[in-house]
Amino acid sequence: MSGLCREVVTLQLGHYSGFVGTHWWNLQDASLCYDPDLPPGELQSDVLFREGLTLGGQVTYTPRLIAFDLKGSLQTLRKEGSLYATEQDSKTTLSWQGQIMTHEESPPSKNSFLQDLDKLDVRTGELLVEPDFSSSPALVPHCSGGAFAIETVNSTLERVQKAYRLEGIVRVWSDFLRLHLHPRTISVINQYNHDGESARLEAFGQGEALLQGSVLEELEDRLHFFVEECDYLQGFQVLCDVADGFSGLGSKVTELLQDSYGGRGILTWGVAPVSHRDSSPIKELYHMMNCALGTVHMANHSSFFCPLTLGGGLGRRPAPPTSFPLLSYDVSDLYRHCSGGAAGLSDTSDKCLSVVCAYGSVPFPMMQSSCLPDALQACQDALPWKPLSACPELVDGRCFGQSVTLKGLEGQNLVSPLVPGTEPPSPLHCAWSGLEVLDMYIRSHYPSTPLAVQLVSSPSKLTSPFPQIFSPILDPQGLIQSQSPTTAPVVSSVPVLTCVQSSVAVGQLLAELQKSCSSLDLRRVAPSFLSQGLEPAELAESLEQLRSLAYRYRDDSGGTLRSSSEEEDD
């Protein structure tokens, strides 16, 4: 692609990170633009993707991604992927001359979506067998307004337009992965099992101890491969499970990145599901301790750390899960519920302090044939977004700084179409641009807060097999229909409003987590947690660091906020 870009290497650590990441990569894939004759668009795909060639000379475009998961977590996905497969892959040379007994295990079954993908030749991108589409397939270019110069293997997946219903049958994240991965992307940790009761990666100390030997060698090998081909490396994006032992691994990985690539940005998302399978009081205690330890250590080693969960909190007694007015999702179904916030992940940019919280409006509530000032005014005094970080919603403007992005209103009225001489219903209707409308609206709620605002016109495209979790009152573009529909349309794109903040709410989240963990005597209620390599003195020090981190976000002067830099000046 043309134009200078600053590359980012993404790391996914853990199985839930795989679920969130798969939705996110599917969204990125749907927005790819691969026409060198077109000028760079709003989103530069080269930041996250890399170009390569298969053994047959076919152009590929794969994520610049390193993903760690556990033994048994891949199911039908091959660790080395399919792009560079050869006929020799399945052949082995045996030197043993004696009798051989073969025990063959049936391979995991594939869902209808994966079966249709198998009908594409992954080396040439051509259809081997016509998939059973609901309508006649057509190749749709990733770029509009120009010749489609090169058809990549991933772009051929645009043929898959069938509406799949995978709810309840998705077992692992690769069950709904649309795009192909590079052979150096996936690394399996064989010391621990994905399923079963034995050899589970459950505690922070287990994860910390992993980054040595073969695991460390594989990480460094993959980092060198992806980093050395970058011309202008911007930094790293890390998605890490914080509720299990991957929180310890993520702490060591971010520390390694900080030590080895000083000066590069490290954006870390600590992700946690709403609920866990086969949970128990002891396991919930483990989850809380892992969240606390992972948060404080990854925050120390990251430029920017943001917890992401649709749960109401990270402690033992969280509030009810986040609900969205125009979404319907099952909190026990990872395929459905981790897609609720995924659409806005790529749309947050600037950082304020080291720990921030995220909010999102998915989809942004806008009526058909309406305008942005009308949509924002309809929200009245309530902000349209909901918490994505288990942080409480603050309505009093107590915020150190924030970055807000509105994406997906391409073709809609961003300013008021009032006839000259008509009395505007609000100051928003007097603005001359959509950016001014959004900036004015946010500043009305946060009048003294440093603010970065951006508009991205291109929508978040939802390609198969994204779950249909949307209200039936939405049209295919994710806008609220003016009349009640007779049938629920398939939503193919949505507008999304996202926000990352550094605010008092972060301090409240961290303080509550620290208080809950400090009130426990682990040597009495969960001695096994301390037997996994974490010393009591280390635990006490980490909880004290968490208390200090929460204290930096306090409001101690009747509404006057104090940032961490102001704290250090005292």
Side-chain angles (χ1 to χ4, degrees):
M1 292 185 183
S2 59
L4 176 66
C5 80
R6 301 183 63 200
E7 301 94 343
V8 170
V9 176
T10 301
L11 294 90
Q12 288 172 198
L13 310 176
H15 200 66
Y16 186 65
S17 293
F19 270 86
V20 176
T22 297
H23 277 301
W24 189 73
W25 287 112
N26 285 351
L27 289 168
Q28 303 306 311
D29 177 64
S31 300
L32 282 181
C33 183
Y34 199 80
D35 189 341
D37 296 328
L38 291 179
E42 295 175 302
L43 303 177
Q44 277 191 299
S45 299
D46 278 351
V47 172
L48 299 169
F49 287 79
R50 62 177 298 280
E51 184 179 296
L53 290 174
T54 67
L55 297 179
Q58 174 69 25
V59 177
T60 64
Y61 204 48
T62 54
R64 194 177 290 106
L65 169 66
I66 302 169
F68 278 82
D69 213 330
L70 303 180
K71 182 180 179 180
S73 63
L74 300 184
Q75 295 288 316
T76 62
L77 180 66
R78 298 174 59 188
K79 176 185 173 182
E80 66 276 10
S82 302
L83 286 180
Y84 298 85
T86 68
E87 295 180 357
Q88 300 297 324
D89 287 348
S90 60
K91 297 181 180 181
T92 57
T93 302
L94 297 177
S95 59
W96 173 253
Q97 300 298 321
Q99 185 178 3
I100 297 175
M101 181 178 293
T102 302
H103 297 272
E104 186 172 352
E105 182 180 359
S106 299
S109 59
K110 294 187 176 184
N111 59 50
S112 58
F113 171 69
L114 295 180
Q115 291 174 19
D116 280 348
L117 291 190
D118 283 345
K119 295 169 185 175
L120 298 173
D121 187 324
V122 297
R123 293 173 211 146
T124 66
E126 296 298 324
L127 290 169
L128 295 178
V129 181
E130 192 68 26
D132 180 21
F133 295 132
S134 56
S135 60
S136 58
L139 179 61
V140 182
H142 281 276
C143 294
S144 58
F148 194 63
I150 302 176
E151 180 181 343
T152 67
V153 173
N154 286 343
S155 70
T156 309
L157 298 183
E158 285 288 358
R159 299 174 188 258
V160 183
Q161 299 296 331
K162 183 178 177 179
Y164 297 89
R165 300 297 179 187
L166 303 184
E167 292 83 349
I169 63 174
V170 166
R171 301 161 297 177
V172 295
W173 52 265
S174 58
D175 281 347
F176 59 99
L177 179 67
R178 280 182 59 89
L179 42 69
H180 291 294
L181 302 177
H182 191 273
R184 294 196 184 224
T185 282
I186 298 177
S187 181
V188 175
I189 300 172
N190 290 306
Q191 294 96 312
Y192 295 100
N193 294 323
H194 170 63
D195 284 319
E197 292 299 322
S198 62
R200 300 303 300 272
L201 185 60
E202 296 180 320
F204 179 87
Q206 292 173 297
E208 270 196 320
L210 270 177
L211 200 61
Q212 56 184 316
S214 60
V215 175
L216 177 59
E217 290 175 5
E218 285 205 23
L219 174 61
E220 290 180 333
D221 174 69
R222 284 158 169 74
L223 280 172
H224 291 158
F225 174 79
F226 286 111
V227 168
E228 288 176 3
E229 67 179 10
C230 295
D231 295 322
Y232 302 96
L233 178 65
Q234 182 177 172
F236 303 88
Q237 176 179 227
V238 181
L239 280 78
C240 180
D241 292 10
V242 291
D244 57 25
F246 274 103
S247 61
L249 179 61
S251 298
K252 287 298 184 180
V253 168
T254 51
E255 182 180 7
L256 182 148
L257 295 176
Q258 186 183 58
D259 292 342
S260 303
Y261 302 94
R264 309 295 185 183
I266 303 173
L267 166 62
T268 303
W269 307 94
V271 299
V274 174
S275 59
H276 301 81
R277 293 184 303 169
D278 305 323
S279 191
S280 67
I282 290 296
K283 288 183 178 180
E284 289 301 323
L285 186 151
Y286 269 55
H287 298 153
M288 181 180 68
M289 296 302 302
N290 290 329
C291 287
L293 295 169
T295 294
V296 68
H297 285 280
M298 284 187 276
N300 287 339
H301 302 138
S302 302
S303 313
F304 176 172
F305 176 83
C306 181
L308 281 181
T309 179
L310 295 181
L314 299 176
R316 300 177 70 185
R317 298 178 180 85
T322 301
S323 61
F324 296 85
L326 299 175
L327 296 184
S328 175
Y329 66 93
D330 181 359
V331 297
S332 64
D333 189 340
L334 296 185
Y335 168 62
R336 289 173 66 93
H337 98 244
C338 71
S339 65
L345 262 180
S346 63
D347 305 323
T348 56
S349 55
D350 296 333
K351 68 183 180 71
C352 305
L353 298 179
S354 61
V355 181
V356 297
C357 53
Y359 299 88
S361 178
V362 186
F364 176 68
M366 185 162 174
M367 296 283 296
Q368 289 176 333
S369 304
S370 181
C371 65
L372 181 57
D374 288 342
L376 293 173
Q377 187 187 22
C379 299
Q380 299 179 345
D381 294 333
L383 288 159
W385 51 58
K386 299 291 183 180
L388 302 177
S389 297
C391 288
E393 295 181 79
L394 301 180
V395 295
D396 53 6
R398 295 185 296 165
C399 181
F400 296 116
Q402 63 181 323
S403 174
V404 178
T405 300
L406 178 58
K407 183 177 189 292
L409 293 183
E410 187 175 41
Q412 306 302 314
N413 289 322
L414 300 181
V415 296
S416 175
L418 290 177
V419 177
T422 305
E423 182 70 21
S426 75
L428 298 177
H429 292 76
C430 300
W432 290 94
S433 68
L435 194 64
E436 184 182 354
V437 171
L438 184 59
D439 185 90
M440 187 183 302
Y441 174 77
I442 300 298
R443 291 189 187 281
S444 69
H445 289 273
Y446 300 93
S448 59
T449 297
L451 174 65
V453 177
Q454 63 176 337
L455 284 175
V456 180
S457 63
S458 57
S460 293
K461 298 179 182 178
L462 309 177
T463 51
S464 296
F466 195 90
Q468 287 297 310
I469 56 177
F470 303 98
S471 168
I473 66 173
L474 298 179
D475 70 4
Q477 286 70 49
L479 301 177
I480 301 174
Q481 301 186 63
S482 54
Q483 297 181 348
S484 298
T486 55
T487 58
V490 175
V491 178
S492 59
S493 66
V494 290
V496 177
L497 177 66
T498 57
C499 169
V500 285
Q501 288 185 355
S502 176
S503 71
V504 173
V506 174
Q508 294 177 3
L509 173 71
L510 300 179
E512 290 172 4
L513 186 58
Q514 188 271 341
K515 182 179 180 181
S516 297
C517 293
S518 298
S519 66
L520 298 172
D521 183 358
L522 288 183
R523 287 171 292 188
R524 180 176 61 86
V525 298
S528 58
F529 188 86
L530 293 175
S531 68
Q532 305 291 344
L534 186 69
E535 296 292 336
E538 293 179 274
L539 174 62
E541 182 182 356
S542 295
L543 293 181
E544 178 59 26
Q545 290 179 9
L546 185 61
R547 187 198 66 81
S548 299
L549 185 60
Y551 188 70
R552 296 179 183 181
Y553 294 84
R554 75 192 188 280
D555 179 3
D556 61 352
S557 55
T560 301
L561 296 175
R562 296 165 60 85
S563 69
S564 58
S565 59
E566 293 171 330
E567 164 93 6
E568 295 168 356
D569 292 337
D570 288 348

